[in-house]
Amino acid sequence: MKLSINKSRSLWWTVSAAVILIGIISMAISWQNPEIRAPLRPGLDFIGGTRLQFERDCRQPGNCDQPIDITIVREAAQSQGLGDSSIQIVGENGISIRTKDLDVDQRSNLQTALSEKVGTFDPQQNQIDSVGPTLGRELFRSGLVALIVSFVGIIIYLTFRFQLDYALFAMTALFHDVLITAGVFSIFGLVLGTEVDSLFIVALLTIVGFSVNDTVVIYDRIRETIQINPQLPIADIVDNAVNQTLGRSINTTLTTLLSLIAIFLFGGETLRNFALALIIGFSVGSYSSLFIASTLLAWWREIKGKSPVLASIEAIDGSNSSQDS
């Protein structure tokens, strides 16, 4: 079965525009929400919290015979309403927990719950302090700079590798992916209380790289067909390119999603939102490469036609490709 994506491109654009609009509305509501005050519900990395580090007292007989099971530690934290905390095992006998702001009673209750599960702690080695969001803000700024740099680098590469219109529509698809992923997390933040942390920025950067890879494969096939059969209508060229790369795109996405779903289900609370962001972003990225970036290029070429400037650019591009080969 061959897809004729350009016949229904208005439908693809309408669906994407509707989802993006819903996400923007959700981000606006979140910004006005006095409990959030941000487009997405910020996690501990951005708003600060409490850091607790406990060390088992190995001077007591039998207290350190068994290694610390992080699952048991998470269960103890969940019993205190702190299941979304960031938990790490430090060395063989230490536990590090980053969580929301806790008062003295909450800290004592958590320490007691942990002691009952994993053993008695050495009071001289315990550390409890408050963590400000300074590092989180710095990571957030660095992440935004990284996103901007990646966007600029992609535009420059695609402009030289293909043409400017290819680059602009590839960037449109990338913004599409980032906006939908952020919008979905904004909705989850309002409805489910889902928070974003510095790993969410990492997820966005990963999504950008994955999405542009699929788009480049389709664009490369479009350019090859234009050079071989320049007389064909651009809509037919794009449809053929999408159909030729469809199997590859589906296989690549599905195999990646299987790993991400496993991480989401079994990777623990710390990695769950990271895996969820990648699942959403990779799925949307495959969709945008097939139905947004390619149809926008076909639409633009139909509007512009074969202008003398465009023809000369394509001729130069074709000659450069021949020399490279």
Side-chain angles (χ1 to χ4, degrees):
M1 183 183 68
K2 296 186 66 175
L3 295 177
S4 298
I5 61 170
N6 279 286
K7 290 183 178 180
S8 303
R9 62 192 180 196
S10 296
L11 173 62
W12 317 132
W13 299 346
T14 301
V15 170
S16 293
V19 175
I20 291 174
L21 180 60
I22 293 172
I24 292 174
I25 293 173
S26 175
M27 286 188 274
I29 295 173
S30 296
W31 195 288
Q32 298 300 321
N33 190 319
E35 297 182 358
I36 302 177
R37 296 293 185 185
L40 288 78
R41 186 183 291 271
L44 293 174
D45 284 350
F46 304 133
I47 61 176
T50 300
R51 181 178 63 190
L52 307 96
Q53 187 159 325
F54 303 117
E55 187 82 17
R56 286 194 300 191
D57 188 355
C58 294
R59 294 171 298 182
Q60 299 188 20
N63 197 48
C64 299
D65 291 348
Q66 298 294 327
I68 297 176
D69 188 342
I70 192 170
T71 302
I72 295 177
V73 176
R74 291 194 184 281
E75 291 175 352
Q78 288 175 351
S79 68
Q80 302 298 313
L82 305 173
D84 59 346
S85 303
S86 175
I87 301 174
Q88 291 180 314
I89 304 301
V90 181
E92 296 182 357
N93 298 294
I95 302 172
S96 177
I97 301 175
R98 290 190 61 187
T99 186
K100 63 184 180 181
D101 285 323
L102 303 178
D103 56 32
V104 176
D105 291 338
Q106 290 173 316
R107 296 174 185 178
S108 298
N109 292 338
L110 176 59
Q111 183 174 349
T112 300
L114 290 172
S115 297
E116 294 174 352
K117 296 290 186 180
V118 301
T120 304
F121 296 118
D122 185 353
Q124 296 182 350
Q125 299 294 326
N126 295 343
Q127 298 180 15
I128 302 175
D129 51 22
S130 297
V131 179
T134 303
L135 178 60
R137 286 198 298 265
E138 180 62 29
L139 289 173
F140 180 73
R141 286 194 294 266
S142 300
L144 287 181
V145 171
L147 276 174
I148 294 172
V149 170
S150 66
F151 285 154
V152 173
I154 290 169
I155 288 178
I156 294 174
Y157 169 76
L158 290 181
T159 300
F160 282 97
R161 182 72 173 84
F162 299 100
Q163 290 175 210
L164 181 59
D165 53 354
Y166 286 82
L168 293 179
F169 293 127
M171 290 306 304
T172 301
L174 293 183
F175 279 116
H176 166 279
D177 303 339
V178 171
L179 283 174
I180 288 182
T181 304
V184 171
F185 264 77
S186 178
I187 295 171
F188 286 168
L190 286 173
V191 178
L192 304 176
T194 303
E195 298 178 345
V196 298
D197 54 15
S198 54
L199 284 178
F200 184 73
I201 304 296
V202 178
L204 292 182
L205 286 167
T206 308
I207 291 166
V208 167
F210 181 89
S211 179
V212 77
N213 178 66
D214 263 359
T215 303
V216 166
V217 171
I218 296 173
Y219 278 179
D220 196 50
R221 191 61 56 89
I222 292 172
R223 188 184 65 167
E224 290 177 357
T225 307
I226 289 176
Q227 294 172 0
I228 297 172
N229 298 304
Q231 74 282 358
L232 288 178
I234 185 63
D236 292 343
I237 291 175
V238 170
D239 284 348
N240 290 335
V242 169
N243 281 284
Q244 290 170 16
T245 58
L246 183 61
R248 174 200 175 279
S249 298
I250 292 176
N251 292 334
T252 302
T253 303
L254 285 180
T255 52
T256 306
L257 289 180
L258 289 175
S259 300
L260 293 175
I261 291 172
I263 295 174
F264 176 78
L265 294 176
F266 309 110
E269 292 290 336
T270 304
L271 294 176
R272 183 159 295 165
N273 288 342
F274 174 69
L276 179 59
L278 291 180
I279 290 171
I280 296 170
F282 283 11
S283 302
V284 175
S286 294
Y287 167 83
S288 68
S289 296
L290 294 170
F291 300 105
I292 302 300
S294 56
T295 55
L296 284 173
L297 180 65
W299 166 77
W300 174 253
R301 290 297 181 94
E302 287 174 354
I303 290 177
K304 294 294 290 183
K306 295 291 292 183
S307 68
V309 175
L310 183 58
S312 63
I313 293 175
E314 289 183 352
I316 296 173
D317 185 69
S319 64
N320 290 336
S321 299
S322 300
Q323 293 174 2
D324 292 340
S325 61

